[in-house]
Amino acid sequence: MKDDIFSKSMNKVEPFVFDDKVVKVFDDMIRRSVPGYAPIIGLIGILAEQYVKPNTLIYDLGCSTGACTLSMRKNIKHSDCKIIAVDNSYAMVEQCKKNIKADAGLVPVEVLCADLRDIKVENASMVVMNFTLQFIAPVDRLKVIQKIHDGILPGGIFIISEKIKFNDPVEDKAQTELYYAYKKMNGYSDLEISQKRTALEEVLIPDTLEEHFKRLKVAGFQQAFVWFQCFNFVSIVAFK
Ligand code: GEK
């Protein structure tokens, strides 16, 4: 279903929430709004194929409708693994469960409606947070990353995709303008772009790449690098 949530002029733009209305248009919204989303989903399957170890757990934190979970499920070679998909939006979790049910993959999937800050991470060979840490309160971010690090087995990986901001104001402006041009190319009007920006203002708080790398290092990851970038959207792989 086409995303037209912000197409009409609003007297007051409310903060963005992942409710029923958003879930209905989510797949269209994220593909048209996040440059690189579709290739990232596909390529996360390759990372899963390479790094998931037998008899381990795989986490998809902030799973939404289950795109990363399904991509990993398709490519994991070991059916004794289990994917744990977590989201705190009831509407998202319901849609995710439907999508998993309609998929013929053999790897078991458990879908949890929970705040990712409250769940235990253990025996993991791969953890994915695809565009989700940006919605977690900045004060909680290190604790979340630390928990993920501690729950990953040696040799395991953590994939974190985020919208980022840049220290250099010239780069920040150029990358942001390219991102808005991407949205316009995908059919969003200036009004939709501007109202969505207002709705996300205090909800999606981006960090710089430097802040991400520093946090990953403090948490104990051995190495981390960008494996995908399109404008101000990046995906990092961190190795334990
Ligand atoms: C994808 N990964 O399609 N606990 C659990 N879930 C949360 C929390 C939290 N504290 N806060 C936000 N979420 C997906 C896309 S969308 C990104 C992820 C976007 C959930 C929220 O409900 C939403 O489903 C997801 O994080 C972020 O690859 O919409 O830009």
Side-chain angles (χ1 to χ4, degrees):
M1 205 166 127
K2 189 170 181 227
D3 167 28
D4 62 358
I5 291 178
F6 294 97
S7 63
K8 294 199 178 69
S9 177
M10 297 164 167
N11 289 333
K12 185 174 186 288
V13 180
E14 297 294 338
F16 190 82
V17 281
F18 291 98
D19 58 10
D20 268 342
K21 214 163 67 178
V22 167
V23 172
K24 282 201 184 88
V25 300
F26 183 76
D27 292 350
D28 176 68
M29 172 187 274
I30 196 151
R31 276 181 175 75
R32 288 202 288 137
S33 308
V34 175
Y37 177 78
I40 287 174
I41 294 295
L43 294 167
I44 278 174
I46 296 189
L47 287 152
E49 196 229 341
Q50 292 290 310
Y51 287 99
V52 168
K53 299 278 185 310
N55 205 17
T56 60
L57 297 174
I58 300 96
Y59 291 82
D60 180 3
L61 304 179
C63 61
S64 299
T65 55
C68 290
T69 290
L70 290 173
S71 177
M72 293 192 287
R73 191 188 208 192
K74 198 167 133 194
N75 290 285
I76 291 170
K77 285 177 277 181
H78 319 286
S79 54
D80 56 359
C81 289
K82 182 164 95 170
I83 303 174
I84 301 180
V86 181
D87 206 287
N88 68 347
S89 155
Y90 178 78
M92 283 293 187
V93 165
E94 288 305 293
Q95 187 56 49
C96 184
K97 283 182 179 166
K98 282 186 201 153
N99 293 347
I100 304 296
K101 213 171 161 194
D103 174 71
L106 295 178
V107 176
V109 179
E110 187 178 351
V111 187
L112 301 176
C113 187
D115 190 314
L116 66 90
R117 286 171 290 198
D118 301 332
I119 63 138
K120 201 160 145 191
V121 176
E122 57 187 352
N123 190 34
S125 57
M126 179 165 177
V127 177
V128 175
M129 271 186 105
N130 204 37
F131 302 108
T132 302
L133 192 71
Q134 59 199 20
F135 294 106
I136 302 292
V139 40
D140 294 337
R141 291 181 186 178
L142 177 58
K143 219 168 133 195
V144 167
I145 301 302
Q146 187 69 62
K147 171 174 76 175
I148 291 169
H149 169 271
D150 296 351
I152 292 181
L153 298 162
I157 58 164
F158 173 43
I159 306 294
I160 173 161
S161 312
E162 290 273 294
K163 182 179 185 186
I164 55 164
K165 61 182 184 187
F166 299 87
N167 285 323
D168 176 356
V170 177
E171 180 172 14
D172 199 65
K173 186 167 177 283
Q175 298 276 25
T176 306
E177 279 170 5
L178 287 164
Y179 157 56
Y180 291 143
Y182 172 86
K183 291 190 77 162
K184 277 191 95 163
M185 190 182 79
N186 285 329
Y188 284 117
S189 67
D190 289 333
L191 177 70
E192 282 176 293
I193 293 171
S194 139
Q195 294 193 138
K196 175 91 179 273
R197 186 176 53 211
T198 306
L200 283 174
E201 224 139 59
E202 275 155 36
V203 178
L204 190 171
I205 301 164
D207 289 324
T208 61
L209 210 43
E210 292 75 12
E211 285 166 326
H212 282 293
F213 283 132
K214 187 169 169 216
R215 190 183 293 122
L216 290 165
K217 196 168 178 195
V218 169
F221 284 100
Q222 303 239 342
Q223 213 207 345
F225 57 81
V226 170
W227 65 273
F228 190 99
Q229 176 162 4
C230 187
F231 308 139
N232 48 345
F233 290 78
V234 300
S235 190
I236 298 167
V237 56
F239 297 84
K240 177 150 173 187

